[in-house]
Amino acid sequence: MEAWTFPPVVLQAFSPKSTSGGAWGKGGFIYCTGHDKPELYVLKLPERGHTLQYVKTIPTISEGQAFAIDRSIRSKQVLYGITRHDNYVIVSVID
């Protein structure tokens, strides 16, 4: 078993709360969200050490928290997210 920490830039983006969801995606990347911001953070495992490496932030329509990657669609990465204020499920394609 291993454990990793989030890099400071992602911890700052989560503030004042923490992560609310995460999933492994294609290419070994880790996708995660904070609690409220409409952003998806892309990370990868470090070559050395215990801090995940920040790759990029992807703006989203969904508001953090719950999301899922549809693994039944192999040609694209399809993401399902939610909007809490109007109870919509948002379907997005991520690169």
Side-chain angles (χ1 to χ4, degrees), residues 3 8 16 22 34 59 65 68 88 91 94:
Q65 290 204 355
Y88 287 121
V91 181
I94 56 174

Side-chain angles (χ1 to χ4, degrees), residues 44-66:
K44 65 180 182 177
L45 293 177
E47 291 182 25
R48 292 188 180 147
H50 63 277
T51 302
L52 295 169
Q53 292 182 336
Y54 171 78
V55 176
K56 65 181 175 178
T57 299
I58 300 172
T60 64
I61 298 170
S62 55
E63 304 160 345
Q65 290 204 355

Side-chain angles (χ1 to χ4, degrees), residues 59-78:
T60 64
I61 298 170
S62 55
E63 304 160 345
Q65 290 204 355
F67 80 94
I69 296 173
D70 189 340
R71 299 190 190 287
S72 70
I73 302 172
R74 301 209 186 272
S75 61
K76 305 177 202 180
Q77 270 196 126
V78 176

Side-chain angles (χ1 to χ4, degrees), residues 6-21 33-37 41 63-65 84:
F6 288 108
V9 67
V10 176
L11 289 173
Q12 185 176 25
F14 290 161
S15 184
K17 299 180 180 163
S18 67
T19 187
S20 285
T33 58
H35 195 269
D36 295 310
K37 292 182 183 175
Y41 308 104
E63 304 160 345
Q65 290 204 355
R84 292 184 304 275

